[in-house]
Amino acid sequence: MGDIIRIHRERREPEPLWREVLGRKLRESREEQGRRLVDIAERAGISPQYLSEIERGRKEPSSEMIAAVSGALGIELSRLLGGISADLNRRTIHRSAGPMLMAA
């Protein structure tokens, strides 16, 4: 019989949800501009509570909502989405693939 080989597996942090990265980017942008949540929500035509939930990654906003919030922040939608994509790519590159067994 063959030997049993134990493989130590690293505990990896789960990948963030897209809505969590979106919310983080929106909050960072708003705070960098020194703007209040209530003001951005009003400009975007949504409630401050809903914007807060988006920023915390609790809600999955529609494309219309994302466009409204990015417009209220004065951010081009392509720039916002590019930043989200870059963040997700950085996480993927820095994650280790972990151990792998291959059968012959």
Side-chain angles (χ1 to χ4, degrees):
M1 283 256 182
D3 293 333
I4 296 175
I5 300 171
R6 302 222 183 259
I7 297 176
H8 180 271
R9 293 197 173 185
E10 293 180 30
R11 287 191 173 204
R12 284 189 262 166
E13 199 177 303
E15 289 188 41
L17 297 174
W18 189 85
R19 70 175 185 240
E20 294 170 341
V21 180
L22 167 69
R24 200 173 313 123
K25 282 287 181 196
L26 291 173
R27 177 172 282 168
E28 286 171 5
S29 297
R30 180 178 58 77
E31 289 177 346
E32 283 174 5
Q33 295 177 17
R35 299 175 74 189
R36 297 182 321 154
L37 188 133
V38 292
D39 297 329
I40 297 303
E42 184 178 323
R43 289 193 63 185
I46 61 176
S47 73
Q49 294 81 8
Y50 187 66
L51 179 55
S52 174
E53 289 180 340
I54 292 172
E55 286 187 352
R56 289 181 286 133
R58 306 271 191 238
K59 295 290 182 182
E60 185 88 48
S62 68
S63 57
E64 290 86 2
M65 289 291 172
I66 296 168
V69 174
S70 66
L73 287 165
I75 301 170
E76 289 181 23
L77 192 54
S78 61
R79 186 174 140 230
L80 174 65
L81 298 177
I84 293 168
S85 178
D87 278 4
L88 290 172
N89 283 333
R90 262 192 301 278
R91 282 191 55 86
T92 302
I93 290 169
H94 292 305
R95 277 188 20 194
S96 68
M100 181 184 305
L101 288 177
M102 299 182 77

